[in-house]
Amino acid sequence: MRKLMMAAAFALPMLGGAAMAQDTLKIGYIDPLSGGGASVGEIGLKTFQFLADEVNAKGGILGKKVEIVPLDNKTNPQESLIQAQKAIDSGVRYITQGNGSSVAGALTDFITKYNERNPGKEVLYFNYAAVDPVLTNEKCSFSHFRWDANSDIKMEALTNYMKGTPSIKKIYLINQDYSFGESVRTAARAMLKTKRPDIEIVGDEKHPLLKVTDFAPYIAKIKASGADSVITGNWGQDFALLLKAAADSGLKVNWYTYYAGGTGGPTAIKQGNLNDQVFQVAEGYANIDNKSSMAFEKALRDKYGFSLFYPRAVNEMRMFALAAEKAKSLEPVKVAAALEGMDYEVFNGGKGFMRKDDHQFFQPIYIAQFGELKNKEPFDEEKTGWGWKGVAKIDADKTVLPTTCKMTRP
Amino acid sequence: MLELVVISTLNGVLFGMLLFLMASGLTVIFSMLGVLNFAHASFYMLGAFFGFQISRWFGFWPALLVAPILAGIIGAGVERFGLRQVHRNGHVAELLFTFGLAFAIEEVVQIIWGKSPVDFRVPSSLDFPAFTIFSTNYPAYKMFMLLVSVAIFLALLVVLKRTRVGMIVQAALTHPHMVGHLGHNVGRIFMMVFGVGTALAAVAGVIAGPALVTQSNMAGLLGPILFVVVVVGGLGSLPGAFIASLLIGLVQTFAVSMNGSLSEVFGPLSPAYASTWLSDIWNVTVAQIAPIMPYVLLVLILALRPMGLLGTRET
């Protein structure tokens, strides 16, 4: 009897696993679920689970239920490769990841090599947030698709907006010391130089990624520099703590950011009383006047209590479903071919397209401002009573930047 | 410039005192028991999470009192039922035991409170700017952190150097049998010392929790630097740890505020190196390497004065 039970205990999960593999379409979600990046990683995970539920409610993709497999990489490239291998071994053919361009760089290399060595068992990598331009230029790969605008595209939009703001005179750059932070600061310097040569860059700081617990020394430096505006690509804990330290010390400057909407960001902005002084460049925000995206936003908030930080994740999941149906297959190579060059009406309205040359998705880009809601915008953030208000919209075709990608296709 | 110096000094002292609060327990345990407790930062983390949970239920002030006691009891239990058994097998076994304990505590914390940061807030009674220097506000909470650290330093010094309890405790380390023959329970003394040491770490945790981030990797973030503090200060020396904490706090803060790099110092020469492999080293600013400065200090101290600043014995 005991032996039988032992055998059953071993065999059942395996049988279950095999049965699951046939019925479900697994998407491996590799992102930080612990450590300094955990707050953003958790929100991404729940967003994808919400999207999977949405797809499943409509009968899944080609009749298969979508299942999100969470894999914790601790924002560590090495750990990510172990998780990717683990995912592939358990039958995952689609991997999504976003937080940390250093991770994305390692993953795209890994998956490209894996696909070369394992023809017929290809894996696709859907990148929803790692925005280092290198990923769709020098390092571009047939297996990699990016739904977020890369950091150059965002900086282009941001500097176009700043160009028309004469009150900006002295700018301080503070970024995380890794590939993405590096690309933000170089792009900011280069673009400001041509668009607003009169602006003085009074500081250009790099700090260790997700390691700083107190930003007070950095804030002291920003203050001493006499800057009136700060540009930062900081995300996760690094953004919330930076703003918290600024709020504590009473620093009043304008913030031009990529990720001010991340967990803790809105709360810190409210605490620092920085009404209308924080700007974010992104492919969307809660208060965009669009019926279906607002309904989605409300449903997500009702279920999880946080706002949609990744409109691009919605585009990713829905386009994936469309591409699979167009290809009439879940074979990654066929899905990839269907995604290439695909036109798509984006989640919160407007035209987008997946450029075939480098697998970069282009979509309208918005610049929004955080503060008191004056025109009855329905959504606030983190129960602060403040929310995002649009100040500029750039259409997809005006965000197109050239690529140096030379892709080899199977 | 003056503004930056004054504010950096303040920031450095603040960070240094917080380090001291954590390192004091570690150094007390080491000087009394001869155990280098690798799990010390984990008790700091336990303090922060206990503090968070209790302040949810009863408010911040009860948490500041109860959380360290709870952590202290756990610490005492660890000594009584763990370390004491392991002790027979020597120092390496003790080190390995505390090393493993650190991982176990982290795992437990993750199971109970999850892996993402918890919302541990500064109490509203201390949530206001205490004073303003050069238009920079100083939060009252940070001043409170400073006061508690100083008070604990003084109290510890007095207890160890001036009271009977301190004398017995010190004697128990060097002459345990003699102290035993005089009728003191040496085992219990060790247990108490370990408990007090871990409770001190927990005090630091409750206080630092709202100011920094309370999450399951906070022990890992601050753990290594604690060892720098106790080694630089001199293993087992409380005043040494105090000085080393301030030193490290100041070094790190001032390093952040400096933009200089080799290429600026040797300005006219730099173009010659601009395109070589040296250019990376050439252009790294002091600010960028600020986080490794304490470890540079550690290496220097170990090379030049292995017993530490105020250490008395060579270890």
Side-chain angles (χ1 to χ4, degrees):
Chain A
M1 187 62 204
R2 192 139 168 234
K3 263 189 186 161
L4 196 69
M5 272 171 70
M6 291 274 279
F10 277 110
L12 272 177
M14 286 181 186
L15 282 175
M20 292 277 274
Q22 284 163 8
D23 294 332
T24 64
L25 166 64
K26 288 189 192 178
I27 300 178
Y29 175 85
I30 302 183
D31 256 320
L33 299 171
S34 65
S39 55
V40 281
E42 290 274 353
I43 283 193
L45 174 61
K46 284 182 180 149
T47 308
F48 273 103
Q49 280 165 344
F50 188 80
L51 287 163
D53 291 345
E54 182 189 79
V55 170
N56 292 340
K58 289 178 190 157
I61 298 179
L62 295 179
K64 287 201 177 191
K65 295 267 188 239
V66 176
E67 183 199 346
I68 306 292
V69 184
L71 299 151
D72 180 14
N73 70 1
K74 309 182 177 94
T75 334
N76 177 339
Q78 200 54 45
E79 186 72 27
S80 308
L81 303 190
I82 297 169
Q83 298 296 340
Q85 186 63 54
K86 206 170 109 186
I88 292 170
D89 290 344
S90 71
V92 166
R93 308 285 299 273
Y94 294 93
I95 284 174
T96 193
Q97 180 272 344
N99 297 299
S101 288
S102 47
V103 170
L107 265 182
T108 191
D109 284 346
F110 174 81
I111 291 171
T112 306
K113 276 198 200 105
Y114 178 88
N115 289 348
E116 278 165 15
R117 288 171 192 161
N118 298 279
K121 290 182 190 164
E122 285 85 354
V123 174
L124 284 191
Y125 166 29
F126 293 163
N127 168 2
Y128 71 96
V131 295
D132 189 337
V134 149
L135 297 168
T136 44
N137 287 315
E138 293 88 324
K139 275 192 163 211
C140 74
S141 157
F142 180 74
S143 343
H144 166 269
F145 288 84
R146 166 155 62 199
W147 269 269
D148 200 357
N150 76 38
S151 78
D152 285 353
I153 298 172
K154 288 185 179 180
M155 188 51 77
E156 180 83 29
L158 204 55
T159 47
N160 277 345
Y161 175 73
M162 296 171 89
K163 189 167 69 180
T165 316
S167 62
I168 303 174
K169 299 222 157 51
K170 289 182 171 180
I171 282 185
Y172 200 99
L173 308 171
I174 178 164
N175 288 292
Q176 294 150 323
D177 195 359
Y178 79 118
S179 55
F180 160 65
E182 187 61 40
S183 63
V184 170
R185 65 180 274 269
T186 28
R189 296 197 93 141
M191 290 175 182
L192 284 172
K193 203 172 176 183
T194 56
K195 291 176 194 173
R196 278 287 301 276
D198 61 308
I199 286 182
E200 190 188 343
I201 292 175
V202 292
D204 187 351
E205 193 82 56
K206 292 194 278 184
H207 66 79
L209 173 68
L210 301 174
K211 290 263 187 309
V212 181
T213 44
D214 185 7
F215 275 93
Y218 296 97
I219 295 294
K221 218 169 150 186
I222 296 177
K223 201 158 219 177
S225 74
D228 55 55
S229 305
V230 177
I231 295 179
T232 179
N234 280 16
W235 53 270
Q237 164 186 311
D238 282 342
F239 182 79
L241 288 178
L242 178 67
L243 257 271
K244 195 174 162 188
D248 278 349
S249 75
L251 176 70
K252 291 266 178 202
V253 293
N254 285 333
W255 297 82
Y256 293 90
T257 75
Y258 280 47
Y259 302 116
T263 323
T267 309
I269 299 170
K270 178 78 191 285
Q271 272 172 1
N273 202 22
L274 295 166
N275 192 10
D276 291 344
Q277 281 179 276
V278 180
F279 298 83
Q280 173 183 270
V281 60
E283 80 289 16
Y285 55 93
N287 289 320
I288 291 175
D289 192 16
N290 177 297
K291 257 196 195 125
S292 78
S293 70
M294 278 185 160
F296 185 94
E297 181 81 39
K298 191 168 181 314
L300 183 76
R301 285 176 184 225
D302 287 349
K303 179 153 187 200
Y304 289 122
F306 61 75
S307 43
L308 179 64
F309 187 52
Y310 298 113
R312 49 199 181 259
V314 188
N315 293 333
E316 174 185 315
M317 192 64 108
R318 291 180 181 172
M319 275 176 83
F320 175 32
L322 281 178
E325 272 148 30
K326 193 171 129 197
K328 296 193 181 62
S329 163
L330 281 169
E331 270 308 300
V333 178
K334 288 180 186 158
V335 172
L339 274 172
E340 283 196 323
M342 188 186 231
D343 285 313
Y344 181 70
E345 179 82 9
V346 298
F347 162 69
N348 40 32
K351 283 195 176 13
F353 64 94
M354 179 61 77
R355 181 157 71 181
K356 192 177 175 186
D357 308 340
D358 60 347
H359 294 185
Q360 168 70 52
F361 187 61
F362 289 91
Q363 59 204 317
I365 297 291
Y366 297 85
I367 293 168
Q369 185 180 37
F370 193 77
E372 274 175 48
L373 297 172
K374 290 189 191 96
N375 302 321
K376 302 215 170 74
E377 291 93 349
F379 297 112
D380 73 340
E381 301 292 328
E382 296 186 349
K383 301 187 183 75
T384 54
W386 289 7
W388 292 107
K389 299 167 290 184
V391 291
K393 178 187 177 191
I394 301 103
D395 285 324
D397 51 346
K398 294 216 176 64
T399 69
V400 178
L401 287 177
T403 174
T404 60
C405 172
K406 290 187 186 69
M407 196 179 284
T408 43
R409 291 186 169 74
Chain B
M1 192 60 209
L2 177 70
E3 174 178 358
L4 192 60
V5 170
V6 171
I7 288 171
S8 295
T9 311
L10 251 176
N11 281 330
V13 169
L14 272 168
F15 183 60
M17 290 310 288
L18 187 69
L19 278 183
F20 170 73
L21 207 48
M22 284 183 270
S24 60
L26 186 62
T27 203
V28 164
I29 290 173
F30 183 80
S31 65
M32 298 302 143
L33 308 181
V35 177
L36 199 50
N37 180 12
F38 267 106
H40 196 72
S42 309
F43 285 97
Y44 153 76
M45 176 165 75
L46 274 185
F49 276 96
F50 287 165
F52 161 71
Q53 202 58 53
I54 296 167
S55 67
R56 268 274 166 94
W57 294 329
F58 306 107
F60 180 78
W61 302 107
L64 186 57
L65 194 72
V66 178
I69 295 177
L70 279 179
I73 291 172
I74 294 177
V78 164
E79 200 282 335
R80 174 70 186 81
F81 301 105
L83 267 182
R84 200 176 296 179
Q85 321 298 324
V86 176
H87 182 68
R88 295 181 207 123
N89 304 321
H91 279 301
V92 175
E94 279 176 344
L95 273 186
L96 291 176
F97 173 76
T98 56
F99 195 68
L101 186 65
F103 287 101
I105 291 178
E106 183 171 330
E107 223 32 66
V108 169
V109 165
Q110 282 181 358
I111 289 167
I112 301 176
W113 286 281
K115 290 174 173 175
S116 33
V118 296
D119 185 23
F120 193 5
R121 296 258 174 98
V122 172
S124 52
S125 51
L126 283 175
D127 196 8
F128 59 91
F131 55 87
T132 308
I133 315 178
F134 300 111
S135 79
T136 296
N137 296 337
Y138 265 84
Y141 191 75
K142 288 201 163 174
M143 290 301 117
F144 167 72
M145 283 163 70
L146 192 65
L147 284 180
V148 173
S149 309
V150 174
I152 284 185
F153 172 59
L154 294 178
L156 273 179
L157 266 190
V158 170
V159 169
L160 287 178
K161 301 282 177 200
R162 294 271 176 273
T163 66
R164 244 182 105 81
V165 179
M167 269 156 63
I168 296 167
V169 166
Q170 290 190 40
L173 175 67
T174 48
H175 303 92
H177 294 292
M178 184 55 92
V179 174
H181 288 312
L182 286 171
H184 299 289
N185 185 341
V186 177
R188 193 161 69 200
I189 294 173
F190 281 1
M191 189 175 86
M192 297 293 280
V193 169
F194 202 87
V196 169
T198 49
L200 280 176
V203 172
V206 183
I207 292 179
L212 309 178
V213 219
T214 305
Q215 63 181 11
S216 62
N217 71 337
M218 65 195 289
L221 275 179
L222 276 165
I225 211 165
L226 289 189
F227 291 99
V228 180
V229 171
V230 293
V231 170
V232 169
L235 281 166
S237 162
L238 200 59
F242 186 76
I243 294 170
S245 311
L246 284 181
L247 189 65
I248 288 167
L250 288 171
V251 162
Q252 213 171 344
T253 318
F254 271 96
V256 165
S257 65
M258 271 187 260
N259 278 331
S261 61
L262 284 176
S263 66
E264 272 174 49
V265 177
F266 304 101
L269 290 172
S270 60
Y273 292 93
S275 59
T276 68
W277 58 271
L278 269 177
S279 72
D280 270 348
I281 303 173
W282 204 244
N283 291 317
V284 153
T285 63
V286 179
Q288 253 176 291
I289 55 166
I292 60 159
M293 290 301 249
Y295 304 98
V296 174
L297 195 65
L298 174 75
V299 172
L300 283 179
I301 283 281
L302 283 175
L304 301 176
R305 197 181 152 82
M307 74 290 272
L309 292 176
L310 296 184
T312 45
R313 58 187 156 188
E314 303 234 3
T315 42

